[in-house]
Amino acid sequence: MAKPPNSKPKNLSGPKRALKPRASELPTREQLLAALAEQADIKGKRDLAKVFGIRGDMRRPFKAMLAELEGDGVITRTRKALRRTAALPHVTVLDIPADADPDDLHAYPAQWNEEEGDKPRVAVLQGRDARVVPAPGDRILARIDAGEADIPVYTAKAMKILDKPRRGQIGIVRMDDDGARLIPVDRKNKEMRIPLGDLLDARDGDLVEVEVKLSGRLMIPRAKVTVVIGNPMSEGALSLIAIHNLEIPYRFPASVIREAEEAQETNLKGREDWRDVPLITIDPFDAKDHDDAVYAEPDADPTNPKGHIVTVAIADVAAYVRPGTALDREAYLRGNSVYFPDRVVPMLPERISNELCSLKEGEPRAALAVRMIIGADGKKRSHTFHRILMRSAAKLSYQQAQAAIDGNADDKTGPILEPILRPLYAAYDAMTKARDQRGPLDLDLPERKIVLDDKGMVKDIRIPERLDAHRLIEEMMIAANVAAAETLEQKKTPLLYRVHDEPSSEKLQALRDFLGSLDLSIKKSDSVRASDFNGILGQARKAGNVEQVSEMVLRSQAQAIYDNENVGHFGLNLDRYAHFTSPIRRYADLIVHRALIKALGLGDDGLTENEALKLPGIAQHISATERRAMNAERETADRLLAQFLAAKIGAKFEGRISGVTRSGLFVRLLETGADGFIPASTLGQDYYRYVEERQAMIGDKTGEKFALGDRVTVRLLEAAPVAGALRFELLSEGARVNPSSVRREKKRPSRSYGPKGRKKR
């Protein structure tokens, strides 16, 4: 039998005293922690055992107690020493793991000294009244509560969701006489040495991802290769740069693939049988998934003369991706699919997106459909939602559908021209009347499509023709999205809106200043409508400067986002709007589907109460993933175009000034849409001032002006494919204005530049 300790532990004082355990008793956890905290001469478990008289049969449970405390993160072992783990401050930054359970969030300190032992696990509280709703993968500023016991049980309340810093950098390996160095893709970052032992198997010219470590007393940054991406000029590498650089998840975990492969096709149970309704899909010719189908017919109701019944059916993703599953967590983490010229990074595995939820011609598929009654004036009179089993009657491309309507039907479109296509176009013609009366923002800016060859290199850049077939599908999808928002509001069901706020007063004033320089004006009230902008664009078309005005009108707009609170959609001029029509590629649409299923009692796989509470955080997250996708797509297009133009150094091009800043001009080439930069220091022999009100650089003495939207001729001087950067030389002369009038109208001083970039004093 173990003897009790001969005396109390040494050097104990204060209110938290390690009380002497009785004979044959182990010390409590509180006594152990107090001894470690207050007795500096305790170095390890042997010293601790002596203090408490641990002998014989007590040794095994004593070791188990210490192991439990260490496992809980309460004590830590450094070499042979044991000590209390450092406590978290009352307010700190936490990282929530990307694979954390959304219903039981936990986090770890973002900054932690490894000598303190393992990071403590922190439970993240999520109350109904929480203003900040974090989600898996978020970094948060949080208020910490360790509880009242001596053993801290950490809980946290989120105060703010923070931007997460990059975990690494992307760059090109260059070998030299001293070893290896990293040339970063992002020019804002500096070159770094790579120790030869940290190269993995990277070779000269390889694109790599690195982590940055500081070494020596001078804390010199060094790079350590963590991923070898490959040759940046090889097939698909340029899109991989954006994928790695923006940390876009592109490999599905095994658990997600397993769930997708195990999914079984749904049957007719709990669904209406619409397999005889001749719904058709109309998509790009190269589309791999088809998540929306349409059908229209004349309305036989005598109370709706010359009216139409329009049906939009959307793939029922909610039937396969249920809340809390691995598929659902991964779809939320990705937020949306990302589309590159050479690949797609899908939100869902192919088994779901390209098979079970693709509305393939002739195959039964689960769908959620909305049936809308449209009047002769194009306005929706009523609508109903249905959970159905459908069978697509035909798969058409936009070009096929349009050609048939234009009198050039083929073997597929000929038989369905009269019974299916003409009623669809008749309904669309009516709906355009309502659209024109509503007056959405009419910014019809051309979008270029990059066409690649078999090696992943740019083959051609095209501006696809905008057909009525595109507008038909677009208008019917908008109507379906409005119907979804209206139904959920009527049912008082929480939902995610797609909101587009009206322009801020600051942006409106900047637009007014610019329009004033062109002798155009918009009403002075801050309460403007999309139709007001359309009026300005109409005036600009007549004046011949619509490109300049379109660019500034676009810049004046707020960014569309997702939100659980509605502020309307300014650009579409709609009071309520939700994304319902693309659940294969947007998580927002999946949430809206679940909300409709719940609100209308269409199944047991609808929106859960827990999801409804988390809608603010979900909205923030998927708005961020959407911005990430847009950045990735734009960066990749820039890199591909820079690669395409790299063989044309010295060539002349026509372009338009697409941006004016203090440091120079941005020019977009008319033929390819490639963007490049002209430094202000190269703009001729005058000193050029940036005049914000005119969005122009204007010469101090000559009055030579280069303004937003001006058509210019440039020479290509440099192309950097990995950075996606082009540098031009300006060959055109600018228009002339009175320089003294420009100085009089300026409201604040601005930097100016001479021919070599000297600042004028």
Side-chain angles (χ1 to χ4, degrees):
M1 183 179 296
K3 296 181 181 179
N6 296 325
S7 61
K8 294 180 181 179
K10 301 176 182 179
N11 302 326
L12 293 181
S13 61
K16 292 184 180 180
R17 184 178 300 275
L19 300 176
K20 175 182 176 180
R22 291 180 294 177
S24 303
E25 287 187 0
L26 288 170
T28 65
R29 288 164 64 105
E30 288 79 7
Q31 287 172 327
L32 283 172
L33 293 173
L36 283 171
E38 299 177 24
Q39 296 197 48
D41 56 344
I42 296 178
K43 300 299 183 185
K45 64 181 180 181
R46 182 173 298 178
D47 294 336
L48 204 56
K50 286 182 179 179
V51 168
F52 289 103
I54 302 300
R55 298 172 184 165
D57 294 340
M58 295 177 68
R59 288 174 179 163
R60 181 171 292 179
F62 180 71
K63 288 182 179 179
M65 180 182 290
L66 292 178
E68 184 181 347
L69 287 168
E70 191 173 351
D72 290 343
V74 179
I75 64 175
T76 186
R77 184 192 307 272
T78 53
R79 295 181 182 176
K80 294 185 178 182
L82 281 175
R83 55 191 177 82
R84 280 291 302 267
T85 303
L88 291 178
H90 293 303
V91 175
T92 193
V93 177
L94 302 175
D95 283 333
I96 302 173
D99 60 352
D101 184 351
D103 299 331
D104 185 21
L105 285 182
H106 67 278
Y108 298 97
Q111 297 292 331
W112 187 255
N113 184 352
E114 297 299 331
E115 292 185 357
E116 302 290 348
D118 294 335
K119 293 181 178 181
R121 191 178 192 273
V122 184
V124 181
L125 303 180
Q126 300 168 282
R128 288 176 177 267
D129 57 346
R131 292 187 177 182
V132 178
V133 184
D138 283 346
R139 167 167 285 190
I140 60 173
L141 181 67
R143 194 177 303 280
I144 304 295
D145 183 2
E148 297 181 359
D150 284 334
I151 303 172
V153 179
Y154 291 116
T155 58
K157 289 185 178 179
M159 301 165 62
K160 185 179 181 181
I161 296 175
L162 305 173
D163 291 333
K164 292 185 73 172
R166 276 199 42 73
R167 67 169 184 266
Q169 290 186 22
I170 304 293
I172 304 292
V173 173
R174 288 298 179 207
M175 306 301 294
D176 55 31
D177 293 339
D178 297 323
R181 58 196 172 101
L182 182 82
I183 310 298
V185 167
D186 189 341
R187 292 187 171 187
K188 296 176 184 177
N189 296 326
K190 295 181 179 180
E191 290 187 17
M192 289 179 285
R193 302 302 305 179
I194 309 175
L196 293 179
D198 290 335
L199 272 172
L200 289 182
D201 55 352
R203 294 175 293 182
D204 185 66
D206 275 351
L207 182 68
V208 297
E209 181 174 322
V210 303
E211 64 180 30
V212 181
K213 293 187 174 182
L214 302 177
S215 63
R217 289 186 299 174
L218 298 178
M219 304 295 281
I220 297 173
R222 304 282 187 187
K224 178 181 180 181
V225 176
T226 56
V227 177
V228 179
I229 301 171
N231 188 325
M233 296 300 108
S234 63
E235 181 178 351
L238 292 179
S239 58
L240 273 174
I241 294 175
I243 289 170
H244 281 262
N245 211 28
L246 295 171
E247 300 182 7
I248 295 173
Y250 70 104
R251 292 191 181 101
F252 286 107
S255 59
V256 175
I257 296 296
R258 185 168 56 251
E259 278 191 5
E261 293 301 323
E262 291 173 354
Q264 301 296 315
E265 289 188 21
T266 57
N267 53 35
L268 197 53
K269 183 179 179 181
R271 298 179 181 277
E272 299 174 43
D273 190 350
W274 284 26
R275 285 175 289 183
D276 292 334
V277 178
L279 290 148
I280 64 171
T281 62
I282 305 178
D283 291 292
F285 72 91
D286 56 353
K288 293 183 179 179
D289 55 61
H290 310 274
D291 57 357
D292 57 79
V294 292
Y295 174 67
E297 59 184 326
D299 190 0
D301 188 342
T303 64
N304 187 26
K306 297 184 179 180
H308 309 268
I309 302 174
V310 174
T311 299
V312 174
I314 306 298
D316 191 355
V317 177
Y320 299 98
V321 183
R322 298 198 170 211
T325 61
L327 273 168
D328 182 48
R329 287 194 294 271
E330 185 68 16
Y332 167 81
L333 180 66
R334 295 178 178 226
N336 45 257
S337 298
V338 188
Y339 293 85
F340 299 101
D342 64 331
R343 75 180 72 216
V344 176
V345 178
M347 185 179 80
L348 296 167
E350 285 191 12
R351 166 71 175 157
I352 302 296
S353 60
N354 292 2
E355 294 293 332
L356 297 178
C357 289
S358 185
L359 306 181
K360 294 188 173 183
E361 180 178 315
E363 297 187 19
R365 287 291 183 264
L368 195 59
V370 57
R371 187 174 183 268
M372 299 175 284
I373 309 300
I374 306 295
D377 58 359
K379 294 182 180 179
K380 180 170 64 66
R381 295 189 167 194
S382 64
H383 68 269
T384 53
F385 280 91
H386 308 262
R387 209 167 191 189
I388 67 170
L389 192 68
M390 60 161 282
R391 183 189 290 117
S392 172
K395 180 188 78 169
L396 303 182
S397 69
Y398 289 115
Q399 290 74 17
Q400 266 184 301
Q402 192 64 49
I405 288 295
D406 292 342
N408 298 305
D410 59 20
D411 292 343
K412 176 173 275 190
T413 56
I416 64 173
L417 176 59
E418 295 301 327
I420 298 177
L421 288 176
R422 290 209 187 279
L424 270 172
Y425 273 79
Y428 164 67
D429 287 342
M431 296 172 78
T432 58
K433 299 175 186 176
R435 180 198 64 198
D436 293 343
Q437 185 177 354
R438 188 178 83 239
L441 186 60
D442 186 19
L443 267 178
D444 198 7
L445 299 173
E447 292 188 13
R448 289 171 174 79
K449 180 179 177 63
I450 297 175
V451 181
L452 304 181
D453 60 21
D454 294 339
K455 296 181 179 179
M457 303 303 176
V458 177
K459 177 182 178 182
D460 193 13
I461 296 103
R462 302 171 186 162
I463 299 178
E465 185 182 1
R466 182 91 165 134
L467 305 172
D468 277 346
H470 292 97
R471 297 185 180 95
L472 180 152
I473 294 298
E474 187 176 275
E475 201 59 37
M476 291 182 178
M477 296 305 114
I478 289 173
N481 289 338
V482 171
E486 288 177 348
T487 292
L488 292 173
E489 279 193 356
Q490 291 165 4
K491 294 292 184 179
K492 300 187 182 332
T493 300
L495 73 147
L496 286 180
Y497 293 94
R498 180 63 168 180
V499 300
H500 180 216
D501 208 350
E502 60 185 34
S504 66
S505 57
E506 293 81 5
K507 288 186 175 181
L508 276 176
Q509 187 56 51
L511 177 62
R512 288 191 187 97
D513 291 340
F514 174 74
L515 293 174
S517 71
L518 301 176
D519 294 325
L520 297 172
S521 63
I522 192 170
K523 69 179 185 179
K524 293 185 178 181
S525 170
D526 282 347
S527 179
V528 293
R529 300 178 66 85
S531 56
D532 297 319
F533 289 103
N534 292 339
I536 288 296
L537 291 167
Q539 295 178 44
R541 288 187 185 95
K542 293 178 182 178
N545 49 18
V546 68
E547 290 85 2
Q548 292 170 285
V549 175
S550 295
E551 190 72 38
M552 277 302 291
V553 167
L554 181 63
R555 291 181 182 202
S556 70
Q557 301 303 303
Q559 187 169 24
I561 60 171
Y562 295 103
D563 204 322
N564 63 307
E565 295 185 0
N566 186 27
V567 298
H569 198 294
F570 179 84
L572 293 174
N573 200 12
L574 291 169
D575 293 331
R576 56 194 57 82
Y577 192 64
H579 272 167
F580 159 76
T581 53
S582 293
I584 284 177
R585 62 185 180 91
R586 294 188 305 225
Y587 195 77
D589 303 54
L590 177 56
I591 290 291
V592 169
H593 275 231
R594 288 174 179 168
L596 287 166
I597 293 167
K598 174 70 173 179
L600 299 173
L602 298 177
D604 61 358
D605 46 0
L607 191 72
T608 65
E609 184 178 349
N610 206 23
E611 281 182 298
L613 291 174
K614 295 176 180 178
L615 286 183
I618 293 173
Q620 290 178 19
H621 172 73
I622 61 178
S623 294
T625 60
E626 180 186 48
R627 290 191 296 273
R628 179 179 68 183
M630 292 170 61
N631 289 337
E633 291 163 8
R634 183 176 61 250
E635 284 184 13
T636 300
D638 288 344
R639 291 186 176 104
L640 284 166
L641 290 172
Q643 184 186 68
F644 178 62
L645 293 170
K648 301 182 180 183
I649 301 297
K652 296 180 182 179
F653 299 94
E654 295 298 309
R656 287 193 184 276
I657 296 176
S658 59
V660 184
T661 68
R662 288 177 172 81
S663 55
L665 305 175
F666 290 92
V667 173
R668 181 168 299 142
L669 302 185
L670 298 181
E671 184 179 355
T672 62
D675 289 299
F677 186 63
I678 302 173
S681 59
T682 66
L683 286 182
Q685 300 304 310
D686 202 347
Y687 290 98
Y688 290 85
R689 292 178 180 270
Y690 169 56
V691 183
E692 184 177 2
E693 293 77 13
R694 297 194 182 200
Q695 284 295 297
M697 297 287 280
I698 300 178
D700 237 11
K701 297 178 181 178
T702 62
E704 188 178 28
K705 175 172 71 81
F706 300 104
L708 183 74
D710 284 354
R711 184 161 178 159
V712 293
T713 302
V714 298
R715 178 183 287 117
L716 179 61
L717 298 182
E718 181 184 357
V722 172
L726 301 172
R727 185 165 63 88
F728 298 133
E729 175 188 8
L730 184 62
L731 301 179
S732 301
E733 290 189 3
R736 303 284 170 160
V737 298
N738 186 341
S740 60
S741 65
V742 174
R743 285 192 289 271
R744 282 196 303 270
E745 75 180 33
K746 281 191 65 60
K747 299 178 181 178
R748 55 182 179 271
S750 181
R751 287 192 294 178
S752 54
Y753 299 85
K756 294 186 179 179
R758 298 187 301 271
K759 292 182 185 178
K760 184 178 180 182
R761 301 297 180 186

